[in-house]
């Protein structure tokens, strides 16, 4: 994902989750003025739509009225910005658990909202890139461990060198038009099945 710049604001899709109020209307109007595509909803929907980039949520009702917000804090697909009207420690703790990227206060101060949106979206995209990189490295490391384990199985079973064991895996992958990782997993599964068989 490329960094967001000011000219990209008109592409940002915003979901405003806030009860009807003068402050909510003012925030909706301000977000429209700075160019965002804004939708409103209250109470929060069962699922946050996948086509949303930024979610503004009134924080206090989530605590005081026990309003549910279905939010994946570990891998959010959008930015979460809290709307707070006073600094209640329980409300702040709730927003920390949701890992909100920023907070704006009421009564509304338009100065800073644009900066909060821009910085939060860019931070979120950077975190998403880092998560993707970590997931790829984790998968690569897991695949290498499986290859090493499969080589050890072949070396022990056939009394061959590591080089021969790896060549066997590579040859099988080529013959079956698949990856060495897939062949390694097959070898490990087969070995596990053999270990489950009762000995005579």
């Amino acid at each position: 994902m490329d960094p967001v710049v000011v000219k990209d604001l008109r592409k940002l899709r915003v979901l405003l989750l806030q009860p009807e109020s003068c402050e909510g209307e003012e925030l909706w109007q301000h977000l429209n003025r700075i160019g965002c595509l804004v939708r409103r909803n209250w109470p929060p929907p069962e699922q946050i739509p996948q086509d949303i980039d930024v979610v503004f949520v009134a924080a206090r009702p989530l605590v005081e009225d026990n309003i549910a917000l279905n939010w994946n804090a570990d891998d959010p697909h959008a930015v979460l910005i809290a709307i707070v009207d006073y600094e209640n420690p329980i409300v702040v703790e709730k927003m920390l658990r949701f890992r909100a990227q920023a907070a704006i206060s009421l009564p509304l101060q338009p100065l800073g909202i644009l900066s909060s949106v821009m910085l939060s979206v860019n931070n979120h995209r950077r975190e998403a890139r880092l998560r993707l990189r970590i997931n790829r490295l984790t998968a690569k490391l897991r695949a290498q461990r499986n290859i090493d384990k499969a080589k050890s199985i072949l070396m022990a079973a056939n009394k061959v060198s590591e080089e021969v064991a790896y060549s066997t895996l590579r040859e099988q992958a080529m013959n079956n038009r698949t990856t060495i990782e897939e062949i390694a997993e097959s070898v490990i599964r087969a070995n596990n099945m053999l270990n489950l068989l009762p000995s005579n």
Side-chain angles (χ1 to χ4, degrees), residues 134-190:
I134 289 169
N135 290 340
R136 286 174 175 170
L137 289 172
T138 300
K140 187 175 181 179
L141 182 60
R142 183 169 56 247
Q144 187 57 53
R145 282 200 301 261
N146 284 343
I147 290 171
D148 290 341
K149 186 173 182 179
K151 285 192 300 186
S152 297
I153 291 169
L154 293 177
M155 289 164 64
N158 301 323
K159 302 294 189 289
V160 296
S161 67
E162 181 179 355
E163 183 179 351
V164 170
Y166 182 77
S167 295
T168 301
L169 292 173
R170 186 174 56 187
E171 183 179 341
Q172 286 297 311
M174 292 174 62
N175 290 342
N176 290 278
R177 295 183 179 180
T178 186
T179 63
I180 294 179
E181 290 83 1
E182 287 286 338
I183 297 298
E185 289 179 9
S186 298
V187 170
I188 294 168
R189 284 195 300 269

Side-chain angles (χ1 to χ4, degrees), residues 4-16:
V4 172
V5 294
V6 174
K7 67 181 179 65
D8 296 325
L9 279 172
R10 294 189 180 276
K11 299 176 185 176
L12 284 181
R13 298 154 301 181
V14 174
L15 179 61
L16 179 57

Side-chain angles (χ1 to χ4, degrees), residues 42-199:
W42 190 262
E46 290 186 8
Q47 298 287 338
I48 301 298
Q50 290 293 317
D51 62 348
I52 291 297
D53 301 304
V54 182
V55 176
F56 282 84
V57 63
R60 186 154 58 100
L62 300 183
V63 173
E64 295 186 354
D65 301 332
N66 200 29
I67 300 294
L69 175 65
N70 187 3
W71 184 258
N72 182 0
D74 292 326
D75 189 16
H77 72 272
V79 169
L80 184 66
I81 298 177
I83 305 168
V84 294
D85 51 6
Y86 72 101
E87 290 189 321
N88 180 320
I90 299 175
V91 171
V92 172
E93 184 179 342
K94 183 90 168 179
M95 290 302 98
L96 287 172
R97 285 203 302 271
F98 280 136
R99 297 181 189 169
Q101 291 272 2
I104 62 168
S105 60
L106 297 178
L108 187 68
Q109 299 293 327
L111 181 64
I113 293 178
L114 173 61
S115 299
S116 294
V117 170
M118 297 293 292
L119 292 171
S120 298
V121 170
N122 279 306
N123 286 338
H124 176 262
R125 293 191 174 190
R126 183 168 59 251
E127 289 170 6
R129 288 194 298 270
L130 289 173
R131 280 195 300 271
L132 181 60
R133 187 179 303 171
I134 289 169
N135 290 340
R136 286 174 175 170
L137 289 172
T138 300
K140 187 175 181 179
L141 182 60
R142 183 169 56 247
Q144 187 57 53
R145 282 200 301 261
N146 284 343
I147 290 171
D148 290 341
K149 186 173 182 179
K151 285 192 300 186
S152 297
I153 291 169
L154 293 177
M155 289 164 64
N158 301 323
K159 302 294 189 289
V160 296
S161 67
E162 181 179 355
E163 183 179 351
V164 170
Y166 182 77
S167 295
T168 301
L169 292 173
R170 186 174 56 187
E171 183 179 341
Q172 286 297 311
M174 292 174 62
N175 290 342
N176 290 278
R177 295 183 179 180
T178 186
T179 63
I180 294 179
E181 290 83 1
E182 287 286 338
I183 297 298
E185 289 179 9
S186 298
V187 170
I188 294 168
R189 284 195 300 269
N191 185 67
N192 290 340
M193 289 297 295
L194 286 174
N195 289 336
L196 290 175
L197 294 176
S199 56

